Amino acid sequence: MGEMKILGGGGEVAFTTQFDALLAWARKWSLFQYPFATACCGMEFFAVASPRYDIARFGAEAPRFSPRQADVLWVVGTISQRQAPVVKRIYDQMTEPKWVVAFGTCASCGGFYDNYTTVPGVDKIIPVDVYIPGCPPRPEAVLDALMLLQEKIQKGVHGEPVSVPPKDPLSQLRRKTKPSR
Amino acid sequence: MSKAAVSRLKSHFGDKVLASSDFRGDDAIEVAVKDWVDVATFLRDDDKLKMNHFVDLTAVDYPEREGARFDLVLMVRSVEKKHRVRVTTKVADGTKPKTLFPVWSGANWAEREIYDMFGIEFLNHPDLRRILLYDEFIGFPLRKDYPIDKAQPLVPYRDAPGLTKLPPFGIDQGQPFGRIRWDDRLREGANGSGRAVSPSIALQTGERRALSDSEVAVAQIEELAMRVEEEQRVKQEQEAKKDAPAEG
C-alpha cells in the first residue's frame, strides 16, 4: 500500500489515503471463497485450508456455499461438459466484484482430457484471473496464487489473467549439479 | 476353474454355443443374438450354474469387421458356486438385442450406458435413455468413428483472444505430456516402429484436426532441450578451465 501515509507527532496519529486503495486493501484481506471442488484437486484445497498451510493467514478462510456471498470462485478440478452450465450459473449469480481462480491443470486447460467429456479449461466459459499449474498443485502454489490475486485486487487490474510463476527447470538443474562442499 | 460351467453350457445348448475359450482360466463362450436371453436365463436358473451375480454388461466396437460390428460382453458369476463366465455375442449396427433386465435387474443401467455410448438399442427395456451424457448430445462417443477430440459444449465457448487448449503456463508444468499427439502415433504406426493405431482412427486423419497448437508445443519442447544442453556445455567448459591451471 504505497498510498497510505502515517503522520505522527504530538501524540496524535492521522492516516491519509485514497478511498480506492483503502477499499482494495479491505477487499484483498477478506476474500470470501466459493470452493467448486469436483476432483482430486479438492484434497489439495483442503490441505491449504487446514492449519498446516492455513489460508486464514490471508484472510481467506471463510468458505461460502452461496455464490451470492462469495468473492472468489475456486474452480478446483475437472469440469465436464455436463457441469459447464452449473459453473456458468454460479459465476453469474456471484455479485461484483468477483474473481475466478483455475486450480490445477484440468481447470486451466482440460489436462490430458481432450475428448467429448471435458471442458478444455474453465476459461472457455468464464473469465479466469489466476491459473495454478500442477496435477494437483502444491499448497505453496495455491498460496502463491492467492497472493497474486491479492496483488491484482490491490492494483485494481481486471481481465488480465496471470499464472503462478513457473519454476525454471534450469534452476532446478543448477541445484542438482552444484558440487558439494 | 469354471470349466464345468462351460461344459454344462455346451452340453445343454450344443451347437448354439458358437465358440469357447479358456485363456488363463478366463472362460468365455460366444452365442448368437437370438439365443442371448435364453442363455442368460439358463445361466441364472440352472442348478449347476446359479449365476446370481451380474458383474457387468458392456460392448466393444469393431468398425472394420465384416457383418456384425459390435460385441456385447456379459460377465456373470456365481457367489455360491464360486465360478464365473463371460458370454459374448455379435450385434450388427441397427440390430436390437432383447434386454436382460428381466433376468438380472442390474442390467438396467448397464444397457442404458451401452445405449448412451454405442447406440445399441435394447428391445423391451423399461427406460432406455442416455445415462451419462446429456440429451442434447448427438452421436455415440465410444463408437470408433466418433472423432476423438470432438466436444459438444452445452455452454458456448467464450470468444476471447488467446484461448487455446494449451495450458497457460510452462510446458514443464502440469503434465501437458499426458496428451496424445495423434500425428506422431500415426506416423509411428505407418513405419511399424511404434504402437499400432486402430484403423478407424487412421481413417479419420483427413478430418481430424491435429491437437490445436501441437506445433507450438513441439517448438517449446525443442527450445527447452536446447537450453538445457547449452547450459550443460557451458558448465563443462567452465569446469575444464578451472581444472587446467590447477594441473599446470
Side-chain angles (χ1 to χ4, degrees):
Chain A
M1 273 191 62
E3 295 87 348
M4 190 181 274
K5 290 173 189 162
I6 302 172
L7 305 175
E12 292 179 356
V13 177
F15 290 95
T16 67
T17 181
Q18 291 169 324
F19 179 69
D20 287 350
L22 185 65
L23 193 61
W25 174 82
R27 273 176 182 158
K28 79 170 181 179
W29 291 112
S30 68
L31 288 169
F32 282 31
Q33 31 180 337
Y34 187 101
F36 192 90
T38 57
C40 28
C41 280
M43 296 297 146
E44 223 52 34
F45 186 77
F46 306 151
V48 182
S50 63
R52 191 179 183 93
Y53 292 98
D54 198 10
I55 208 166
R57 291 178 291 156
F58 300 88
E61 76 270 35
R64 285 283 175 264
F65 295 100
S66 162
R68 293 169 212 286
Q69 299 171 358
D71 302 313
V72 190
L73 175 62
W74 292 81
V75 182
V76 185
T78 323
I79 301 298
S80 65
Q81 295 287 359
R82 211 176 163 174
Q83 272 174 326
V86 181
V87 183
K88 178 90 172 95
R89 188 166 183 183
I90 284 173
Y91 178 76
D92 290 342
Q93 283 178 341
M94 287 167 70
T95 48
E96 292 279 356
K98 54 189 172 185
W99 299 275
V100 178
V101 180
F103 188 115
T105 307
C106 285
S108 301
C109 69
F112 51 64
Y113 304 104
D114 186 16
N115 56 21
Y116 66 97
T117 54
T118 305
V119 179
V122 77
D123 53 2
K124 306 296 177 297
I125 47 176
I126 55 177
V128 170
D129 288 289
V130 184
Y131 298 96
I132 313 177
C135 182
R138 290 277 313 165
E140 290 90 337
V142 181
L143 295 179
D144 207 355
L146 187 63
M147 292 190 314
L148 282 174
L149 183 64
Q150 286 182 326
E151 210 174 288
K152 279 189 83 168
I153 295 170
Q154 183 66 68
K155 286 180 184 162
V157 183
H158 278 290
E160 286 171 32
V162 292
S163 170
V164 166
K167 266 190 219 121
D168 184 4
L170 291 179
S171 68
Q172 290 171 320
L173 193 76
R174 268 184 221 114
R175 198 158 56 239
K176 272 180 204 155
T177 53
K178 192 174 278 181
S180 55
R181 286 178 186 141
Chain B
M1 189 173 166
S2 42
K3 287 254 184 332
V6 173
S7 58
R8 173 78 183 134
L9 281 163
K10 276 184 179 168
S11 66
H12 189 268
F13 285 101
D15 291 345
K16 287 181 179 176
V17 177
L18 302 176
S20 69
S21 68
D22 58 341
F23 181 70
R24 291 182 181 164
D26 190 12
D27 293 275
I29 63 162
E30 188 189 327
V31 298
V33 190
K34 61 180 169 48
D35 305 322
W36 183 238
V37 179
D38 292 345
V39 171
T41 315
F42 182 75
L43 280 168
R44 184 192 62 179
D45 293 340
D46 187 63
D47 279 344
K48 286 179 181 163
L49 295 172
K50 287 193 176 173
M51 300 289 193
N52 54 358
H53 180 192
F54 170 85
V55 179
D56 198 9
L57 174 63
T58 185
V60 190
D61 184 14
Y62 299 103
E64 67 275 15
R65 193 163 71 184
E66 293 291 321
R69 171 175 176 175
F70 300 104
D71 264 6
L72 277 185
V73 185
L74 168 70
M75 281 159 269
V76 284
R77 144 172 201 274
S78 169
V79 176
E80 185 184 318
K81 303 274 182 184
K82 295 188 175 66
H83 58 204
R84 59 173 69 221
V85 73
R86 190 174 75 236
V87 187
T88 60
T89 183
K90 285 176 181 159
V91 182
D93 199 1
T95 310
K96 295 180 183 178
K98 279 185 188 155
T99 176
L100 293 186
F101 174 64
V103 187
W104 295 285
S105 51
N108 186 341
W109 282 13
E111 287 175 353
R112 279 180 67 184
E113 190 184 356
I114 293 173
Y115 167 69
D116 196 357
M117 295 292 154
F118 293 92
I120 301 171
E121 291 179 33
F122 292 87
L123 278 183
N124 305 330
H125 190 281
D127 183 23
L128 198 64
R129 288 178 294 131
R130 286 194 183 276
I131 188 170
L132 293 168
L133 291 168
Y134 32 96
D135 291 336
E136 294 88 342
F137 199 90
I138 299 165
F140 303 102
L142 288 197
R143 288 190 176 199
K144 294 231 170 72
D145 51 10
Y146 185 89
I148 197 164
D149 55 356
K150 184 184 174 192
Q152 303 183 20
L154 280 176
V155 178
Y157 289 170
R158 286 167 65 229
D159 189 20
L163 284 185
T164 65
K165 282 185 181 178
L166 279 184
F169 29 77
I171 53 159
D172 56 320
Q173 290 185 302
Q175 54 151 240
F177 299 110
R179 291 225 181 129
I180 297 165
R181 301 223 310 270
W182 288 103
D183 296 347
D184 287 5
R185 266 305 169 80
L186 292 169
R187 216 174 297 137
E188 285 173 13
N191 296 341
S193 61
R195 280 168 288 191
V197 178
S198 163
S200 47
I201 286 177
L203 281 177
Q204 288 177 21
T205 46
E207 65 192 60
R208 176 190 302 288
R209 192 166 34 83
L211 256 187
S212 48
D213 300 79
S214 58
E215 283 175 14
V216 180
V218 172
Q220 279 180 314
I221 292 163
E222 281 171 358
E223 194 194 324
L224 181 76
M226 276 171 62
R227 274 170 62 198
V228 172
E229 264 178 32
E230 178 70 14
E231 180 83 3
Q232 283 172 337
R233 196 180 57 77
V234 169
K235 200 171 171 56
Q236 281 171 359
E237 275 179 12
Q238 281 174 350
E239 278 175 10
K241 270 182 198 168
K242 221 183 287 171
D243 293 346
E247 283 168 12

